[in-house]
Amino acid sequence: MSEVPSMQKTKMIIKKNDKFIKIAESLKPKLIKDKVYPKQIVDVIRDKDAIHGWKVVKVSEIDTIKKEAYGKSDSFILDFGDHEVGYLTIKVRPVGSPPDAPLRLKLSFGEMPVEVKEPFSEYKGWISSSWLQEEVINVDILPAELKLPRRYSFRYLKVEVVDTSQKYKVSFDEIYCTTVTSADVSKVKKLPETLDKELQIIDKISIKTLQDCMQDVFEDGPKRDRRLWIGDLRLQAAANYKTFKNYDLVKRCLYLFAGVTNENGQVSACIFTEPEPIPDDTFLYDYSLFFVDILYNYYKASKDIKVIKDLWPTAVRQIEIALERLDENNIVKDDETWWAFIDWNEKLNKQAPAQAVLIYCMKRALALAEELNLKEKDFLKKKIDEISEAAVKHLYDKEQGFFVSGKEKSVSWAAQVWMVLAEVLPKEKKCRVNGKII
Amino acid sequence: MSEVPSMQKTKMIIKKNDKFIKIAESLKPKLIKDKVYPKQIVDVIRDKDAIHGWKVVKVSEIDTIKKEAYGKSDSFILDFGDHEVGYLTIKVRPVGSPPDAPLRLKLSFGEMPVEVKEPFSEYKGWISSSWLQEEVINVDILPAELKLPRRYSFRYLKVEVVDTSQKYKVSFDEIYCTTVTSADVSKVKKLPETLDKELQIIDKISIKTLQDCMQDVFEDGPKRDRRLWIGDLRLQAAANYKTFKNYDLVKRCLYLFAGVTNENGQVSACIFTEPEPIPDDTFLYDYSLFFVDILYNYYKASKDIKVIKDLWPTAVRQIEIALERLDENNIVKDDETWWAFIDWNEKLNKQAPAQAVLIYCMKRALALAEELNLKEKDFLKKKIDEISEAAVKHLYDKEQGFFVSGKEKSVSWAAQVWMVLAEVLPKEKKCRVNGKII
């Protein structure tokens, strides 16, 4: 258990805002669907130079699965040509005598070649093995059109015929994926063709990744977790404004976070949307504050004043809660628990970067308050000054030219970067990061 | 492959009688349903004196599954108290944090204790392993009411929690089986209480077995095969007339057999009913003839003259086809293939018992023809005499006092029993079976 970050709190009371949840539900996107067929039949072979040690090689054309008859222990691997997120349909037909026993199929879905080659049963990590995309299906009546009810995230699909009977085999008339996304690709502006090729490829893959994560909400990842985490939402929403421009999806997510908080009004780090919106019992200092930044960016992109009117109190509440953690020196109190995320690095001390995130998000709140002339603007201005001053006084080590964090006065990238983003030092007092003046 | 009886013929043309199939469909029974809850939680332990070496012992009350929280690798075995055929419902609820990973369950259904204890993966027999009643289920949204779509036949259910996550476990509010049958238990007459206890128990188990096999059709068995075999139907229908009296179910099965024959008009040994009626490509000498016997018994029990009018030509056709196999001595031609069933014993020669089955079924046809004054009666009478005479002349060994069969002139129980049932020897010429005069 020691390697598992402890995120679990006991019993919590959920404060539910029915109006907000209703708005969030009304914004549930109608998913865009597409039918994607596998491109070829492949094998995955050992290659020490390939990623994870496995290389993909073509074996035959895709229509082989229609012509060939597969019996007990036969299998094949399909390559869909690209990463896909969606639902699988399999049209399977008996060959030989009428099927006198059920058909048993095993399906393994892989984003990477390794996943369809190394058996999942050998997985021993701390993340739940139930995320491994594997199904065993029993089919009593043939021919059949199997529409698998679960969503998968994959490029490679291994189909194993566990058993038929001595009297029949099976062929596959069609196997396809009905992809789903709430991202409209037609809204993405093309990059100039003169741009560097590598940048173009990076851009393409980034956009596809975002597209695959855009479902009913912005998902952490479409394969594992599949949940709305506020840290992921912040970056995804920002990328979305420059690409798919699905403002409603961001709006929906903001209302979900504001719609179910703990009894203190703090937004959770993560929301479960099924069977009904439930906040995770994980609350993180920086994640709750990010609500303010996401709201700010949403307003800048959409100019949707109605949303600010609804959600401004939730944003202010996150700042109030964050301020309660300041000590007598106006510095965020540190502790040993998993109170702030910042980064997965277990050795990272969170104090200084958390202080910077607080300042960063308060400055976003102030910008909104000033633009919309909200009553909190003076309070915010005053507090930002105090906390920034405290950060420089207590956390900045002039000799090293770095911000230090926690009892051990550790120096981290995260602290420097966030302090720079929060513009804590005046422009003339540059901050050294990675030995350079930035 | 050598140990597998070769039942498979290549391409066959199906002769379909739409009228008969329509009548069969109209007789599809509305299944009687019941909710059966497990009685206790048990363990299955080694005991060399118990059947298959496994004994069942009680572990705890059934409501434990509601109170206990089960995580990765936890499992329990439910005992439903009796053999059940039906559909499983599982109401499962998360305990702990909101479920941040799917729940993966493995279910193993056993009619006998051994099935929930010895892993199916070790099965190496020639019967398809897909009959082993095992499911792996992934549940993305909790709490859930899982209604498994397949029908199972079991008394014991092993539930294994393959994985949840570090943040939650599960409890089971309810697990039950919705049993199905087309047998109405209320129609069964009670045995006199004075009857021998052992006979009462045998009767109870026999009736339950028949009940579990009575579904859309009379099934071979409710766990494996699940199909309408004419050899099983013959005995099941006879038992049904004395118990559940579901005449329509027998009628339906008769119309199914007559509704899809081969192009020669021969009824198949077995019918597949889904996705539409299809005759199996297995045709057996004795099984096709049994159509006549089943029709005779159905008429005797139901007095349903309409069915005889429809199906008499099919019955006559089976006799005509059977007669075509007689040699110049009026003896059924023997061969090495799987042309007649009679019994699973591989060493059994089928010639003499097949001759007896022919005579037996022709006598049933004659009885019908005489009672209803059908035109075939004279022909049948004449032929029965000829073939019976031939049986005595060529197959009866006076010295041994036994009927002999095939080139090797083998003596079998099956030949003697069927010859007795067919009343081939005149009453004064008794036949010795098992050393006794019967």
Side-chain angles (χ1 to χ4, degrees):
Chain A
M1 293 286 288
S2 61
E3 76 275 33
V4 186
S6 166
M7 313 176 191
Q8 187 163 351
K9 291 198 177 177
T10 41
K11 296 281 171 200
M12 59 172 275
I13 292 166
I14 299 170
K15 208 162 93 184
K16 194 171 167 192
N17 185 316
D18 290 326
K19 179 189 152 188
F20 288 179
I21 292 301
K22 219 170 150 185
I23 293 172
E25 286 306 302
S26 74
L27 293 166
K28 200 168 180 175
K30 195 174 146 52
L31 298 180
I32 298 162
K33 293 182 180 178
D34 200 8
K35 236 186 202 184
V36 177
Y37 288 86
K39 303 293 178 285
Q40 54 184 9
I41 299 175
V42 297
D43 198 4
V44 173
I45 58 171
R46 276 276 178 220
D47 179 351
K48 65 179 173 41
D49 298 328
I51 188 166
H52 304 131
W54 293 103
K55 188 174 75 173
V56 175
V57 290
K58 179 174 174 173
V59 167
S60 64
E61 300 301 328
I62 194 63
D63 61 356
T64 308
I65 60 170
K66 207 186 287 189
K67 295 173 190 164
E68 191 101 356
Y70 301 91
K72 185 179 176 118
S73 304
D74 290 337
S75 71
F76 53 84
I77 298 170
L78 300 177
D79 177 3
F80 279 71
D82 200 353
H83 186 266
E84 308 297 350
V85 175
Y87 298 85
L88 197 74
T89 299
I90 299 180
K91 289 188 187 171
V92 58
R93 161 177 54 86
V95 178
S97 292
D100 62 337
L103 162 68
R104 184 168 289 170
L105 293 176
K106 185 174 171 183
L107 307 172
S108 309
F109 300 78
E111 293 182 317
M112 300 300 293
V114 62
E115 292 173 88
V116 291
K117 209 63 192 188
E118 294 184 8
F120 288 164
S121 54
E122 282 168 24
Y123 172 76
K124 299 278 179 276
W126 66 266
I127 291 174
S128 174
S129 65
S130 61
W131 285 116
L132 297 168
Q133 301 180 115
E134 187 179 276
E135 303 287 350
V136 178
I137 297 170
N138 294 303
V139 188
D140 293 315
I141 298 168
L142 290 167
E145 185 180 55
L146 309 171
K147 289 198 166 285
L148 275 67
R150 305 180 74 212
R151 206 190 72 193
Y152 304 97
S153 180
F154 67 106
R155 171 173 172 165
Y156 304 101
L157 170 64
K158 184 175 181 183
V159 178
E160 291 171 84
V161 176
V162 180
D163 215 334
T164 51
S165 88
Q166 301 273 5
K167 293 196 72 181
Y168 82 101
K169 295 184 170 189
V170 289
S171 294
F172 297 85
D173 281 332
E174 229 177 51
I175 296 181
Y176 62 83
C177 176
T178 305
T179 60
V180 284
T181 179
S182 53
D184 181 353
V185 189
S186 72
K187 298 219 168 137
V188 181
K189 267 195 206 145
K190 278 209 171 154
L191 288 181
E193 280 177 25
T194 51
L195 197 75
D196 177 78
K197 279 266 160 68
E198 198 176 3
L199 286 179
Q200 291 205 35
I201 293 171
I202 291 172
D203 182 71
K204 198 183 145 199
I205 294 171
S206 305
I207 287 177
K208 181 72 167 95
T209 304
L210 181 59
Q211 179 190 345
D212 286 348
C213 290
M214 284 171 69
Q215 302 292 339
D216 275 352
V217 294
F218 286 91
E219 293 183 5
D220 172 349
K223 176 184 161 194
R224 195 188 66 78
D225 222 6
R226 304 183 177 195
R227 278 180 294 148
L228 173 58
W229 285 89
I230 210 161
D232 301 80
L233 170 62
R234 177 173 164 265
L235 301 173
Q236 290 170 315
N240 165 59
Y241 303 138
K242 299 288 177 201
T243 52
F244 303 110
K245 300 182 176 60
N246 189 340
Y247 302 111
D248 275 354
L249 193 67
V250 184
K251 185 173 163 185
R252 166 169 157 79
C253 294
L254 283 166
Y255 276 94
L256 280 170
F257 276 108
V260 279
T261 66
N262 68 10
E263 59 180 334
N264 202 21
Q266 187 175 3
V267 300
S268 169
C270 163
I271 298 282
F272 296 86
T273 53
E274 296 288 351
E276 56 174 350
I278 301 169
D280 192 9
D281 53 10
T282 304
F283 290 82
L284 298 164
Y285 192 82
D286 47 342
Y287 269 40
S288 298
L289 280 168
F290 283 154
F291 184 87
V292 186
D293 184 49
I294 299 165
L295 188 65
Y296 168 85
N297 284 325
Y298 173 76
Y299 178 72
K300 295 305 275 183
S302 69
K303 295 288 168 194
D304 182 348
I305 188 83
K306 172 79 179 59
V307 172
I308 304 299
K309 277 188 184 151
D310 275 351
L311 302 185
W312 177 247
T314 306
V316 171
R317 185 69 197 125
Q318 305 318 303
I319 294 169
E320 288 169 358
I321 292 167
L323 291 174
E324 286 168 13
R325 202 181 165 93
L326 296 180
D327 65 14
E328 63 285 1
N329 293 325
N330 272 327
I331 295 294
V332 176
K333 268 181 222 142
D334 195 16
D335 73 47
E336 297 292 303
T337 68
W338 211 67
W339 63 280
F341 174 68
I342 306 293
D343 191 276
W344 275 116
N345 189 331
E346 277 178 53
K347 289 178 189 156
L348 176 70
N349 182 280
K350 315 289 174 85
Q351 185 184 48
Q355 178 97 6
V357 169
L358 172 62
I359 297 164
Y360 177 88
C361 290
M362 287 179 77
K363 284 187 174 173
R364 301 305 201 153
L366 176 60
L368 268 180
E370 280 177 338
E371 184 159 345
L372 304 172
N373 200 28
L374 302 169
K375 68 176 194 306
E376 290 84 356
K377 65 179 178 184
D378 296 336
F379 168 77
L380 284 165
K381 210 171 163 52
K382 183 171 159 278
K383 268 290 170 195
I384 289 167
D385 286 346
E386 287 173 22
I387 302 163
S388 301
E389 210 171 287
V392 175
K393 186 171 171 191
H394 299 286
L395 299 176
Y396 188 63
D397 179 337
K398 278 182 199 158
E399 228 159 88
Q400 292 189 75
F402 284 135
F403 285 91
V404 295
S405 187
K407 254 192 231 166
E408 311 286 330
K409 301 200 179 297
S410 66
V411 175
S412 69
W413 278 75
Q416 316 315 314
V417 169
W418 275 111
M419 286 291 182
V420 169
L421 290 172
E423 297 173 314
V424 173
L425 289 180
K427 282 213 176 130
E428 57 273 23
K429 269 201 186 177
K430 300 264 158 73
C431 176
R432 296 197 309 138
V433 174
N434 198 17
K436 289 179 189 162
I437 306 297
I438 59 168
Chain B
M1 292 287 287
S2 60
E3 74 276 33
V4 186
S6 165
M7 314 177 190
Q8 187 162 352
K9 292 200 176 175
T10 42
K11 297 279 173 203
M12 59 174 273
I13 293 165
I14 298 170
K15 209 163 93 185
K16 195 173 166 190
N17 184 317
D18 289 328
K19 179 189 151 189
F20 288 178
I21 293 302
K22 220 171 150 186
I23 292 172
E25 286 307 300
S26 75
L27 293 165
K28 201 168 179 176
K30 195 173 149 50
L31 298 180
I32 299 161
K33 293 182 181 178
D34 199 9
K35 236 185 200 182
V36 177
Y37 288 87
K39 303 294 176 287
Q40 53 184 10
I41 299 175
V42 297
D43 198 3
V44 173
I45 58 171
R46 277 276 178 220
D47 180 352
K48 64 178 173 41
D49 297 327
I51 188 165
H52 304 132
W54 292 104
K55 188 175 74 174
V56 174
V57 290
K58 180 173 174 174
V59 167
S60 64
E61 299 302 327
I62 195 62
D63 60 353
T64 308
I65 60 170
K66 208 186 285 190
K67 295 172 188 164
E68 191 99 355
Y70 299 91
K72 185 179 178 122
S73 303
D74 290 337
S75 70
F76 54 85
I77 297 170
L78 300 177
D79 176 2
F80 279 71
D82 200 354
H83 186 267
E84 307 297 351
V85 174
Y87 298 85
L88 197 76
T89 299
I90 299 179
K91 289 188 188 169
V92 57
R93 159 178 55 86
V95 178
S97 293
D100 62 337
L103 163 67
R104 184 167 290 172
L105 293 176
K106 185 173 170 184
L107 307 173
S108 309
F109 301 78
E111 292 182 315
M112 299 299 294
V114 61
E115 293 173 86
V116 291
K117 207 62 191 191
E118 294 183 8
F120 289 163
S121 55
E122 282 168 24
Y123 172 76
K124 297 280 179 277
W126 67 265
I127 290 173
S128 174
S129 66
S130 61
W131 285 116
L132 298 168
Q133 301 180 116
E134 186 180 276
E135 304 286 348
V136 178
I137 297 169
N138 295 301
V139 187
D140 292 316
I141 299 168
L142 289 167
E145 185 181 52
L146 309 171
K147 287 196 168 289
L148 275 67
R150 305 180 76 214
R151 205 191 72 194
Y152 304 97
S153 179
F154 66 106
R155 171 173 172 164
Y156 305 100
L157 170 64
K158 185 175 181 182
V159 178
E160 290 172 83
V161 176
V162 180
D163 214 335
T164 51
S165 86
Q166 301 273 5
K167 293 195 73 182
Y168 81 102
K169 294 185 173 188
V170 289
S171 293
F172 297 86
D173 281 332
E174 228 176 52
I175 296 182
Y176 63 84
C177 176
T178 305
T179 60
V180 283
T181 179
S182 52
D184 182 352
V185 190
S186 73
K187 297 218 169 140
V188 181
K189 266 196 207 144
K190 278 208 171 153
L191 288 181
E193 280 176 25
T194 51
L195 197 74
D196 176 77
K197 278 265 161 68
E198 198 175 3
L199 286 178
Q200 291 204 37
I201 294 171
I202 291 172
D203 182 71
K204 197 183 147 198
I205 294 172
S206 304
I207 287 177
K208 180 71 166 94
T209 304
L210 180 59
Q211 179 190 347
D212 286 349
C213 289
M214 285 172 69
Q215 301 292 338
D216 275 353
V217 292
F218 285 91
E219 294 183 4
D220 172 351
K223 176 184 164 194
R224 193 188 66 77
D225 221 5
R226 303 184 177 195
R227 277 180 294 148
L228 174 57
W229 286 88
I230 210 161
D232 301 79
L233 170 62
R234 177 173 163 266
L235 301 173
Q236 291 170 315
N240 165 58
Y241 302 139
K242 300 288 177 201
T243 52
F244 303 110
K245 300 182 177 58
N246 188 339
Y247 302 110
D248 276 354
L249 193 67
V250 183
K251 185 172 164 185
R252 167 170 156 79
C253 294
L254 282 167
Y255 276 95
L256 281 170
F257 276 108
V260 280
T261 65
N262 69 9
E263 57 179 335
N264 202 19
Q266 187 175 4
V267 301
S268 169
C270 162
I271 298 282
F272 296 87
T273 53
E274 296 288 350
E276 54 174 351
I278 300 169
D280 192 10
D281 54 10
T282 303
F283 290 82
L284 297 165
Y285 192 82
D286 48 341
Y287 270 38
S288 298
L289 281 168
F290 282 154
F291 184 87
V292 185
D293 183 49
I294 299 165
L295 188 64
Y296 168 83
N297 285 325
Y298 173 76
Y299 178 72
K300 295 306 274 184
S302 70
K303 296 289 166 189
D304 183 346
I305 189 86
K306 172 81 180 56
V307 171
I308 303 298
K309 277 189 184 149
D310 276 349
L311 302 185
W312 176 250
T314 307
V316 171
R317 185 71 196 123
Q318 305 318 303
I319 293 170
E320 288 169 358
I321 293 167
L323 291 175
E324 286 168 13
R325 204 182 163 92
L326 297 181
D327 65 14
E328 63 284 1
N329 293 324
N330 272 328
I331 295 295
V332 176
K333 267 180 224 145
D334 194 16
D335 73 46
E336 299 291 302
T337 67
W338 211 68
W339 62 280
F341 174 67
I342 308 291
D343 190 276
W344 274 116
N345 188 332
E346 277 179 52
K347 287 177 190 155
L348 177 70
N349 182 279
K350 316 288 173 86
Q351 187 186 45
Q355 179 95 4
V357 168
L358 171 62
I359 296 165
Y360 178 88
C361 291
M362 285 178 76
K363 285 187 174 174
R364 301 305 200 153
L366 177 61
L368 268 180
E370 282 178 337
E371 184 160 346
L372 303 172
N373 199 27
L374 302 169
K375 69 176 192 307
E376 291 83 357
K377 66 179 176 182
D378 296 336
F379 167 78
L380 285 166
K381 208 171 164 52
K382 184 173 159 273
K383 268 290 170 194
I384 289 167
D385 286 346
E386 287 173 22
I387 302 164
S388 300
E389 209 171 290
V392 176
K393 186 172 172 189
H394 300 286
L395 300 176
Y396 188 62
D397 179 334
K398 278 183 199 159
E399 227 159 273
Q400 293 190 76
F402 284 135
F403 285 90
V404 296
S405 186
K407 252 192 234 167
E408 311 287 329
K409 300 200 179 302
S410 65
V411 174
S412 68
W413 278 76
Q416 316 315 314
V417 168
W418 274 111
M419 286 292 181
V420 169
L421 289 172
E423 298 173 312
V424 173
L425 289 180
K427 283 209 175 134
E428 58 273 25
K429 267 199 188 178
K430 303 263 158 77
C431 177
R432 294 198 311 137
V433 173
N434 197 19
K436 289 179 192 163
I437 305 299
I438 58 168

